[in-house]
Amino acid sequence: MKIMPNIELCVDCGKCERSCPHNAIFIVEGIPIRCMHCESAPCVQVCPEDALKKVGDRIILDSDKCIGCSLCTEVCPIGAIRIDTSSGIATKCNDCMEFDSEICVDVCPTGALSPYTKIVEDKREDMLAKLKKLTTLNK
């Protein structure tokens, strides 16, 4: 299921960050950052070990194959992939594929994380532009 953060509803409570079983969502200036599972995912294209794969409409990380080169972090258009400092390998959202639902969506008190809706889709381009600007500032 594709999830699009609605930044107008995010109250920066951090419940999504604390609840994520993969430590793969974080909030920057009131914007929940999580993998958007891009159609033409640059992270998949650049991974030298095929640790990132497109499976259906998800981009999945095989942590056993990841060598921690961080190329995926460099090409992610919104900065949603990070290298875990303790393990030295990439970490990213996998849409909670091992659960019945997405934990961040379930715990969000305002509905800022929800499946695509017409309203959210209409705002998608504006949000992506803001996220790209943020990631440019953070590099």
Side-chain angles (χ1 to χ4, degrees):
M1 168 176 32
K2 294 278 188 175
I3 303 298
M4 176 63 65
N6 185 334
I7 58 176
E8 293 172 355
L9 295 178
C10 181
V11 294
D12 206 3
C13 69
K15 285 184 91 171
C16 57
E17 288 178 299
R18 292 188 306 276
S19 301
C20 179
H22 301 286
N23 193 27
I25 187 169
F26 49 100
I27 298 174
V28 177
E29 296 184 24
I31 300 172
I33 308 292
R34 65 184 298 280
C35 180
M36 300 297 292
H37 302 275
C38 303
E39 286 297 318
S40 59
C43 59
V44 171
Q45 297 168 14
V46 74
C47 183
E49 299 297 318
D50 292 325
L52 291 159
K53 296 260 186 211
K54 189 160 185 81
V55 178
D57 62 352
R58 294 177 171 140
I59 305 302
I60 304 300
L61 171 69
D62 181 344
S63 57
D64 292 334
K65 290 184 176 181
C66 179
I67 59 172
C69 68
S70 77
L71 290 173
C72 56
T73 67
E74 297 297 320
V75 299
C76 179
I78 61 168
I81 305 174
R82 298 180 287 174
I83 299 296
D84 181 279
T85 54
S86 61
S87 67
I89 61 172
T91 183
K92 65 169 291 306
C93 171
N94 71 356
D95 276 347
C96 287
M97 64 183 266
E98 67 275 31
F99 300 104
D100 291 332
S101 62
E102 294 183 55
I103 306 301
C104 61
V105 173
D106 293 343
V107 301
C108 183
T110 64
L113 294 170
S114 58
Y116 279 159
T117 63
K118 178 68 176 136
I119 294 168
V120 175
E121 285 177 350
D122 290 344
K123 295 180 181 183
R124 181 176 189 271
E125 291 304 316
D126 181 53
M127 195 218 44
L128 285 175
K130 288 178 183 178
L131 288 171
K132 285 180 182 178
K133 183 179 178 184
L134 274 175
T135 58
T136 303
L137 295 174
N138 291 331
K139 287 186 179 186

